[in-house]
Amino acid sequence: MSYSRERIGEILIRGGLLSAEQLDEALAIQRAEGGKLGQVLVRKLVLTEEDIARTLADQKGYPFISLTAYAVDRAAVAMIPERIARRRLVLPVGFSEDAIVLAMADPLDVEAIDDVKLQTGMDVQPVVATATQIQYAIDKFIVSADAVQDIMLGLDEEAVSDEVITGDEDVPIVRLVNQLIREGVADDASDIHIEPGDKGIRIRYRIDGVLHEVMQLPQSAKAGLISRIKVMADMDIAERRRPQDGRIAVMVNGRAIDFRVATLPTPQGESVVIRILNQDDRVHSLQDLGMAEEHLKTVRRFLARPYGAVLVSGPTGSGKTTSLYAGLLLLNDETRKIITIEDPIEYQIAGLTQMAVNPGIGLTFSRLLRTVLRSDPDVVLVGEIRDPETAEIAIRAALTGHLMLSSIHTNDAPSTLTRLVDMQVAPYVTSSALVGVIAQRLARRLCPACKKRVKTTKTQLVSIGFTAEEAGRVKAYGPGGCDECFGTGYRGRVGLFEIMEMNDEIRRLFLKEAPSEQLREAALANGMQTMRRDALNKVMSGVTSIDEVERVVV
């Protein structure tokens, strides 16, 4: 294949994206300030990186690819060293017959193509991507690929060197752990899963509530990888038979990030989950969570009460803590004393007195709560009601002049009442103290940049809960896939809510030990909207997809 040395400015003019005057001005800036012409054009906001990349691709007959959506082959990535990739701003991303597929920001760079041909011994098939995406992909793939290659060249499965303990940055395992953490933060993952198996170690990230496999590691990495993480989390590396919990606090690309680490013993070795707690993330308001206007009015009414208990229910990972923080944000002013008891403190909020539980020294939820109630609080947040003692103290405190906020694990709002009975809280205490329950789940938001209309039938829409009238006018959307959402079609998450406000009828039924079904019927008669109904409303407004509703809501 022959490669043209045609200038980029000429191609952009021919493509209609640049005038001769703009090119002359950009060239003058380039001569004065240095750098590549494309960088100058982007810096001066004349063009975007994608404008330049797509025009180059079209004019030279090369494919344009999005590296955020492209299935990058790590074997191809490993064929050139990091120094060449960074200097030439290129990245091998796959193979095509006897050629290596090379992502380039500038496909006119003949010297870069020659360097890669010399390094790999293969013909080069250029494809075009933006410079930013290539830089991101180099950070994401090459460092970890080099570390994995080093690991595969001869680590003893049982060996844990002193460098792993001390954190020597030149040790492959240390580099790999650091890279896994950097990638997880860069990909906005909430959790990193490290799962040993019979054939190797699977690495998965949970992004927007869904797990994605990102890497497979050899068995030889297991001992060093797990030990390095346990050292960082201040765990006992010699203890492999019992579960352990720990925490890591590090700076990642200039950002303060906390990580919560949990290990589980399995027949194949210890499985590790690292929860990413990003201190730079702002606390969301109630509106940001995706609450409908009627829900907002109800929750504001809950929080306006001088005392009582407001509980947020749902499974692990359903956004309960985020909703509690949003409530505190609304309440936080100079007239109130607000104290929180958390495990751990996920976000620091100015104006609040925040405490973390520490069972190792006896600071449990129940013990801290007793102390807090002697400190003249107006509002108390208990991160989670886990045991009968905490439940009893929290609910009774709501009767004595405190607004009590907490979370509890139940499937829906009405079953929260029966759950408190299971936790040995007297029904008459619960019925008097409880103001309301917010049950919730999280669904992925459709990416606004690439969501697309999907075909649906009236029968299908009615089967998932729409009325026949609604089914005739619903315009459902589904995921597309673009650079903005890394090719998934989803970007961020939205809350799906079911909010039950206590009233005399619900209290009467509860005191008569009515089952959850009757409590639900009374709540619906009182105006409660089911979680599925809230989800369907968000489908109608194009916020989420039918598939997400079916995945998240029972």
Side-chain angles (χ1 to χ4, degrees), residues 359-488:
I361 58 174
L363 296 181
T364 61
F365 276 116
S366 57
R367 183 170 180 180
L368 284 173
L369 184 52
R370 285 193 180 93
T371 302
V372 163
L373 295 177
R374 295 194 292 268
S375 302
D376 189 33
D378 297 295
V379 180
V380 179
L381 181 145
V382 179
E384 184 180 340
I385 293 178
R386 295 178 178 173
D387 56 78
E389 187 178 9
T390 304
E392 178 74 17
I393 298 169
I395 298 301
R396 286 190 178 276
L399 291 173
T400 58
H402 305 94
L403 181 61
M404 181 68 59
L405 309 181
S406 191
S407 69
I408 191 168
H409 289 285
T410 59
N411 289 327
D412 57 21
S415 63
T416 300
L417 294 171
T418 53
R419 174 63 179 144
L420 290 171
V421 172
D422 292 340
M423 299 180 81
Q424 302 171 22
V425 181
Y428 71 88
V429 175
T430 298
S431 64
S432 300
L434 192 61
V435 174
V437 181
I438 304 167
Q440 67 179 71
R441 300 288 189 280
L442 291 176
R444 291 182 292 174
R445 286 181 185 268
L446 286 167
C447 174
C450 67
K451 68 180 182 181
K452 58 185 181 182
R453 285 284 303 277
V454 294
K455 293 181 179 180
T456 55
T457 65
K458 189 172 182 179
T459 302
Q460 177 191 5
L461 294 172
V462 170
S463 70
I464 65 171
F466 285 109
T467 65
E469 180 186 352
E470 289 172 334
R473 52 187 173 86
V474 169
K475 295 179 180 179
Y477 289 83
C482 67
D483 293 351
E484 297 286 329
C485 59
F486 301 101
T488 65

Side-chain angles (χ1 to χ4, degrees), residues 216-343:
Q216 285 277 353
L217 299 177
Q219 285 283 8
S220 58
K222 181 170 65 176
L225 180 66
I226 303 301
S227 294
R228 176 58 189 157
I229 293 169
K230 290 168 76 173
V231 167
M232 294 175 71
D234 199 23
M235 296 176 176
D236 183 357
I237 65 171
E239 178 57 75
R240 302 179 183 180
R241 300 167 300 170
R242 295 188 177 93
Q244 295 188 64
D245 293 299
R247 293 181 178 85
I248 302 171
V250 295
M251 296 292 291
V252 180
N253 297 328
R255 301 159 64 192
I257 311 288
D258 287 341
F259 302 86
R260 189 168 59 199
V261 183
T263 67
L264 288 173
T266 75
Q268 292 79 26
E270 290 177 284
S271 175
V272 179
V273 177
I274 304 173
R275 168 63 59 88
I276 301 174
L277 307 171
N278 190 350
Q279 293 288 344
D280 282 352
D281 282 351
R282 68 185 181 88
V283 177
H284 296 280
S285 68
L286 291 168
Q287 290 92 331
D288 293 335
L289 302 180
M291 280 191 180
E293 189 58 39
E294 286 302 312
H295 284 159
L296 285 171
K297 290 178 182 177
T298 303
V299 173
R300 289 190 181 111
R301 192 160 58 245
F302 290 172
L303 299 177
R305 296 282 292 268
Y307 60 88
V310 178
L311 301 181
V312 181
S313 76
T316 301
S318 59
K320 299 186 297 296
T321 301
T322 302
S323 294
L324 289 171
Y325 274 121
L328 292 182
L329 199 66
L330 189 64
L331 292 169
N332 189 17
D333 63 42
E334 62 184 15
T335 67
R336 294 185 179 94
K337 173 75 170 184
I338 301 176
I339 304 178
T340 74
I341 305 169
E342 306 173 59
D343 181 25

